[in-house]
Amino acid sequence: MRKLCGVVMLIIAAVLLAQADIPIKVTLTMMVAGDQNMVDFFQYEIAPEFEKLYPNVKVKVVGTGPGDAGSQQIIQQLQLEKDSGKDKWAIDLVVIHEAGAIWAIERGLIRQYTDFLTTRRLVTMKTAEVALGVNVNGYVMPMFHSQTAIAYNPRFVKNPPKSYAELVEWVKKNPKKFGYNGIKGGMSGVSFVFGWVYWKSKNPDVLMNGPFDEKYMEDWPQIYAELKEFNKYVTLTSGNAGTLDALNRGEIWMGPVWVDMFYTWIREGRMDPNIRLILPEPGMPGQPMYFAIPTKAANADYALKMIELVTSPAVHAKYIVDRFNWYPAIGIEYVSPYLSKEVFDRLYRDIKEEELLKFGKRMPIADYRTRMLEAYEKWVEK
């Protein structure tokens, strides 16, 4: 506790010092997991905004790549800093996935800080408190929420399936016209598989919230056998982008996608704007990206200011929602006053907020998550 209080006092002191506007030259170094659009977001949009507010600060952005592998690289770098025994670490701010946050907390690589974050009170989703079944409250602030959904082409699909059950019947009547990327080509395929297991499981709430017990996996062999049968009627794509490409070319008529990637492609003219989205019952998982501050970040005060900036309603509206098509990390009621009707209607065109809250599921807790992926490789891909 004494150590934690010491860290907290250092943060307060650092913030007060920065507010005194002392012109100390600072390089704020941040590492960002995720696709290239995440790096672009900070490098070309947020960094210039931040450097205008704090002219003595230069923001340095380092991207580590998509998926958990990107977060793993960040964790390895922080571990090297910790092992070096240095009092001040070179990394000031990180953006990581849920799994990365858990690894970082378990190894003592990130600090508790959100009590000092004014925008923390605007968060309405539980992902600020729990990640993959682990308590992360205090250590992380969501940056945005990503959601998967089923994209479909109305030219070929007049009445899209509204549930996984209806989808099973649909693929039998329309073989090879539903496509997804399994579990190795991107998270949209993983999310579809998790949604399948939730649908078939007798205990979906336990899979999402715990506790972990193998007795809740007893029905999995049958669940995956039915998924293997389902796969006989689908097209396996090369990844998230591969699914979108196949949809756009008309090779497939339906497939799971990330909502933000889908709308970004439409805005860039890479996707037929007539293609629509549906979030089928009982739902599909989404996930946040998290801001976290390393335990001994040299510039924790400015890292806190950066997080405040990105998670403020006005900046959230301008960049998170309008520019990058992510769902907000804070309550939409705080963001919507800064959004035009056109932008709001675009993001919630097909999936209304109430549907997102009802059918947007959590990822399974870490132990079930690992077992689900192993089960797919064992019983479906074999």
Side-chain angles (χ1 to χ4, degrees), residues 3-245:
K3 185 177 180 181
L4 175 62
C5 290
V7 171
V8 168
M9 292 305 294
L10 280 174
I11 293 177
I12 293 174
V15 169
L16 292 175
L17 192 63
Q19 289 174 343
D21 200 25
I22 296 175
I24 301 172
K25 297 293 184 183
V26 170
T27 297
L28 180 72
T29 302
M30 58 187 302
M31 295 188 76
V32 180
D35 287 306
Q36 184 60 40
N37 64 341
M38 291 279 291
V39 177
D40 292 345
F41 169 77
F42 285 104
Q43 190 162 346
Y44 301 117
E45 308 287 357
I46 297 302
E49 294 267 8
F50 195 77
E51 289 167 0
K52 284 181 192 173
L53 290 171
Y54 303 99
N56 60 315
V57 178
K58 179 68 177 177
V59 178
K60 179 182 177 184
V61 184
V62 180
T64 58
D68 289 345
S71 288
Q72 181 66 52
Q73 280 198 42
I74 293 174
I75 300 306
Q76 289 172 350
Q77 185 61 41
L78 294 180
Q79 187 66 54
L80 289 173
E81 296 275 5
K82 181 179 181 180
D83 293 344
S84 73
K86 292 186 292 188
D87 290 334
K88 293 184 179 181
W89 296 357
I91 312 302
D92 300 306
L93 177 62
V94 296
V95 181
I96 48 181
H97 300 82
E98 289 179 295
I102 294 171
W103 298 330
I105 292 171
E106 290 175 344
R107 301 176 189 185
L109 302 176
I110 57 176
R111 66 176 67 182
Q112 289 185 302
Y113 71 94
T114 62
D115 282 352
F116 305 97
L117 195 64
T118 56
T119 53
R120 172 63 179 83
R121 69 190 70 176
L122 306 181
V123 176
T124 55
M125 289 188 170
K126 294 294 184 183
T127 49
E129 301 170 5
V130 178
L132 308 179
V134 175
N135 183 1
V136 295
N137 193 19
Y139 290 92
V140 297
M141 173 70 182
M143 173 185 160
F144 61 81
H145 179 79
S146 281
Q147 180 63 47
T148 51
I150 303 292
Y152 68 96
N153 190 333
R155 181 181 171 194
F156 306 111
V157 185
K158 305 299 182 187
N159 186 25
K162 296 180 177 56
S163 66
Y164 271 78
E166 290 184 12
L167 178 63
V168 170
E169 297 305 314
W170 188 90
V171 298
K172 290 178 181 176
K173 296 175 182 175
N174 302 277
K176 304 300 180 183
K177 293 304 180 185
F178 177 87
Y180 80 108
N181 50 279
I183 63 168
K184 293 181 178 176
M187 280 298 292
S188 61
V190 171
S191 175
F192 177 77
V193 171
F194 290 164
W196 177 283
V197 178
Y198 291 164
W199 166 47
K200 287 288 185 177
S201 173
K202 299 174 183 175
N203 307 284
D205 290 338
V206 174
L207 301 182
M208 287 181 269
N209 302 304
F212 176 75
D213 191 316
E214 292 189 350
K215 70 180 181 182
Y216 296 113
M217 299 162 52
E218 291 174 350
D219 53 355
W220 285 18
Q222 181 61 30
I223 290 173
Y224 281 92
E226 293 176 17
L227 180 56
K228 184 174 183 178
E229 177 65 19
F230 173 84
N231 274 7
K232 292 179 180 177
Y233 298 90
V234 311
T235 295
L236 289 178
T237 65
S238 58
N240 298 325
T243 301
L244 288 168
D245 273 332

Side-chain angles (χ1 to χ4, degrees), residues 246-292:
L247 273 165
N248 198 44
R249 290 194 297 264
E251 296 172 2
I252 61 173
W253 298 346
M254 302 184 69
V257 299
W258 286 108
V259 172
D260 61 286
M261 196 171 178
F262 172 79
Y263 282 126
T264 298
W265 277 42
I266 287 179
R267 288 188 69 181
E268 293 175 349
R270 303 168 64 187
M271 192 82 187
D272 180 354
N274 294 311
I275 295 178
R276 308 298 292 262
L277 296 174
I278 189 168
L279 193 50
E281 296 184 35
M284 294 173 63
Q287 63 180 359
M289 288 297 290
Y290 287 136
F291 283 114

Side-chain angles (χ1 to χ4, degrees), residues 252-380:
I252 61 173
W253 298 346
M254 302 184 69
V257 299
W258 286 108
V259 172
D260 61 286
M261 196 171 178
F262 172 79
Y263 282 126
T264 298
W265 277 42
I266 287 179
R267 288 188 69 181
E268 293 175 349
R270 303 168 64 187
M271 192 82 187
D272 180 354
N274 294 311
I275 295 178
R276 308 298 292 262
L277 296 174
I278 189 168
L279 193 50
E281 296 184 35
M284 294 173 63
Q287 63 180 359
M289 288 297 290
Y290 287 136
F291 283 114
I293 300 178
T295 306
K296 294 188 178 180
N299 300 297
D301 50 348
Y302 285 106
L304 196 68
K305 291 175 182 293
M306 170 70 85
I307 300 169
E308 289 274 14
L309 175 69
V310 177
T311 54
S312 64
V315 173
H316 225 60
K318 182 177 179 181
Y319 293 111
I320 295 291
V321 178
D322 187 2
R323 178 72 178 82
F324 285 85
N325 304 296
W326 290 310
Y327 286 112
I330 61 178
I332 186 61
E333 63 269 34
Y334 305 114
V335 181
S336 56
Y338 299 92
L339 293 173
S340 67
K341 185 177 185 304
E342 177 190 359
V343 172
F344 184 92
D345 290 346
R346 184 183 70 215
L347 188 60
Y348 294 94
R349 178 187 71 169
D350 296 329
I351 302 171
K352 307 302 180 191
E353 187 183 4
E354 56 269 24
E355 293 175 286
L356 186 61
L357 292 172
K358 185 176 181 180
F359 298 131
K361 303 298 185 186
R362 292 182 185 179
M363 292 287 177
I365 67 170
D367 288 332
Y368 288 127
R369 182 175 185 269
T370 301
R371 298 298 184 92
M372 283 183 188
L373 297 177
E374 291 173 349
Y376 187 93
E377 290 184 318
K378 178 180 179 181
W379 290 321
V380 179

